[in-house]
């Protein structure tokens, strides 16, 4: 596709430019990711954000190697991954661990190139991450909140690791958990727990993104379709993506966070963090990523993304390129 489609080639060149930059830099891993529950100007969060800049570089390096077959990209991607595996310690917080997605996908692309001892280092790290997520005591509570967006991200992290390592126990956990999450987190009318609690489409999107990513990887690995899966209550990921569309097209409007039940939303608004002002109009462009994932299952969303991005080419972002290749 990169050789024959100008749009795909353009998106690849974006990645390759980042990979070329990463070749000149050194890994900057962090022992503990600190993001969830911290304001943007918190020094601990700022340090984390600087370290997390490694992750898109790792992703770009891995794809650049697999597409160009140039060993220089492979060697550097491995250097970054081993640095993170040897430094980072997961705490079982899914909002923090969720940020590791680009690294996990990169490792899956190049894991067969690692030496046995190197794979052992990464495998041990990923196993600890997944085990911490599964055993997090927060999710043993009887509270309704255990099924909010946190759990969607938790399921995605475990599922990602489950299929990277081909760990049958983790795969079974992901399979059982996503069914329950669709039942508990999403509603039959397409709305959901997070939209209800936060009064923000921002959080409806934030719970759908990990569910969609989990659905994609399970579909590719097993053929099981959790996008169209209908829970006993009548809820589904497909319905909840559809719930967004009138707000994306402008048919409906929504003022974000007006009736949020979460005090932290007010704190972020008072801190003047972008996208968190109480009562601001939902921005349809914030749905580009989630609709790009949904387009893997429902190709009609591809054109919605193109319109949002005012793009003329076939593939206006890398996720749509991947959808085309995977199909």
């Amino acid at each position: 596709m990169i050789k024959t489609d100008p749009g795909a080639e353009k998106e690849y060149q974006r990645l390759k430019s980042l990979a070329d930059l990463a070749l000149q830099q050194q890994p900057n891993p962090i022992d503990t990711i600190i993001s969830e529950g911290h304001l943007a100007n918190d020094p601990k969060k700022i340090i984390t954000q600087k370290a997390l800049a490694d992750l898109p570089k790792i992703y770009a390096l891995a794809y650049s190697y697999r597409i160009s077959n140039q060993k220089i990209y492979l060697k550097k991607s491995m250097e970054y991954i081993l640095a993170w595996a040897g430094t980072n310690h997961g705490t079982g917080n899914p909002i923090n661990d969720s940020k590791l997605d680009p690294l996990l996908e990169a490792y899956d692309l190049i894991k067969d190139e690692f030496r046995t001892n190197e794979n052992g280092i990464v495998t041990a790290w990923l196993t600890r991450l997944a085990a911490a997520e599964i055993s997090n005591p927060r999710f043993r509570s009887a509270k309704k909140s255990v099924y909010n967006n946190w759990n969607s991200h938790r399921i995605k992290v475990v599922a990602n690791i489950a299929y990277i390592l081909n760990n049958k126990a983790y795969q079974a956990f992901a399979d059982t958990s996503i069914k329950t999450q669709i039942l508990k987190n999403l509603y039959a009318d397409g709305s959901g727990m997070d939209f209800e609690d936060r009064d923000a489409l921002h959080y409806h999107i934030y719970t759908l993104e990990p569910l969609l990513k989990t659905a994609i990887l399970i579909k590719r690995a097993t053929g099981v379709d959790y996008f169209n899966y209908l829970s006993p209550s009548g809820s589904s990921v497909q319905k909840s993506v559809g719930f967004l569309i009138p707000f994306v097209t402008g048919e409906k409007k929504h003022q974000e966070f007006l009736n949020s039940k979460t005090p932290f939303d007010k704190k972020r608004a008072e801190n003047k963090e972008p996208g968190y002002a109480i009562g601001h109009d939902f921005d349809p462009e914030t749905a580009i990523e989630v609709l790009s994932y949904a387009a893997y299952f429902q190709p009609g969303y591809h054109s919605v993304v193109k319109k949002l991005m005012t793009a003329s080419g076939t593939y206006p972002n890398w996720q749509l390129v991947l959808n085309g290749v995977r199909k």
Side-chain angles (χ1 to χ4, degrees):
M1 282 174 64
I2 287 165
K3 288 179 179 178
T4 59
D5 186 277
E9 200 272 339
K10 181 179 179 181
E11 292 307 310
Y12 169 59
Q13 288 303 325
R14 290 183 200 273
L15 274 184
K16 189 172 176 297
S17 294
L18 183 56
D20 289 336
L21 180 66
L23 291 174
Q24 312 303 319
Q25 300 174 335
Q26 299 304 314
N28 181 34
I30 194 166
D31 59 352
T32 306
I33 295 171
I34 298 175
S35 181
E36 181 274 325
H38 292 257
L39 295 172
N41 55 0
D42 185 313
K44 293 180 179 179
K45 187 166 186 173
I46 291 170
I47 291 170
T48 289
Q49 291 303 114
K50 288 180 179 177
L52 292 177
D54 276 2
L55 305 190
K57 297 172 191 174
I58 297 169
Y59 180 93
L61 286 162
Y63 267 105
S64 295
Y65 165 64
R66 288 300 302 269
I67 292 167
S68 73
N69 205 34
Q70 294 183 43
K71 294 285 187 180
I72 190 171
Y73 296 120
L74 171 65
K75 183 179 178 182
K76 196 67 177 182
S77 187
M78 292 170 71
E79 178 187 336
Y80 272 89
I81 290 170
L82 287 168
W84 275 81
T87 303
N88 182 251
H89 303 283
T91 62
N93 182 310
I95 305 305
N96 293 336
D97 287 346
S98 188
K99 296 179 178 11
L100 293 168
D101 277 5
L103 187 156
L104 299 183
E105 185 164 343
Y107 177 62
D108 194 38
L109 282 168
I110 63 172
K111 63 188 178 186
D112 292 343
E113 305 283 356
F114 283 73
R115 298 185 184 93
T116 301
N117 64 313
E118 293 170 334
N119 262 327
I121 292 168
V122 182
T123 296
W125 173 54
L126 296 182
T127 301
R128 291 192 297 270
L129 281 173
E133 291 291 348
I134 291 171
S135 63
N136 185 331
R138 171 191 173 101
F139 298 99
R140 290 199 289 269
S141 165
K143 294 179 180 178
K144 175 185 172 184
S145 61
V146 302
Y147 296 108
N148 72 1
N149 65 84
W150 275 52
N151 198 40
S152 297
H153 286 271
R154 174 183 182 231
I155 293 165
K156 180 202 65 179
V157 171
V158 175
N160 220 335
I161 294 171
Y163 286 96
I164 288 170
L165 302 183
N166 195 26
N167 184 304
K168 301 301 182 185
Y170 294 166
Q171 289 172 10
F173 172 87
D175 186 70
T176 300
S177 298
I178 193 171
K179 291 175 186 172
T180 304
Q181 186 70 351
I182 291 169
L183 172 66
K184 301 285 191 178
N185 182 260
L186 305 179
Y187 300 160
D189 67 354
S191 65
M193 174 188 295
D194 290 281
F195 182 66
E196 178 182 66
D197 289 349
R198 311 300 280 270
D199 191 25
L201 292 165
H202 170 93
Y203 272 97
H204 187 68
I205 288 170
Y206 193 63
T207 200
L208 280 176
E209 283 176 353
L211 291 176
L212 281 162
K213 292 174 88 168
T214 302
I216 289 171
L217 70 90
I218 291 176
K219 182 71 165 66
R220 293 179 63 212
T222 70
V224 176
D225 179 358
Y226 281 117
F227 179 77
N228 291 295
Y229 166 80
L230 201 65
S231 80
S233 70
S235 62
S236 73
V237 176
Q238 186 270 334
K239 283 184 180 181
S240 288
V241 173
F243 177 81
L244 270 176
I245 297 302
F247 300 99
V248 169
T249 61
E251 180 185 341
K252 291 183 179 180
K253 303 288 185 183
H254 186 263
Q255 292 179 292
E256 297 280 82
F257 300 106
L258 271 181
N259 300 296
S260 174
K261 302 169 187 173
T262 301
F264 189 59
D265 291 337
K266 186 177 179 182
K267 289 181 181 179
R268 284 189 297 199
E270 291 170 346
N271 200 43
K272 301 191 184 305
E273 297 188 12
Y276 294 101
I278 304 298
H280 78 275
D281 288 337
F282 170 70
D283 178 2
E285 290 188 9
T286 61
I288 287 172
E289 185 176 4
V290 75
L291 293 179
S292 296
Y293 294 128
Y296 173 81
F297 294 98
Q298 200 159 314
Y301 289 134
H302 187 122
S303 60
V304 179
V305 173
K306 284 182 62 177
K307 188 172 182 179
L308 284 172
M309 297 182 72
T310 61
S312 56
T314 308
Y315 300 105
N317 67 34
W318 183 246
Q319 183 58 43
L320 294 179
V321 174
L322 293 181
N323 289 349
V325 173
R326 289 164 175 170
K327 283 294 186 181

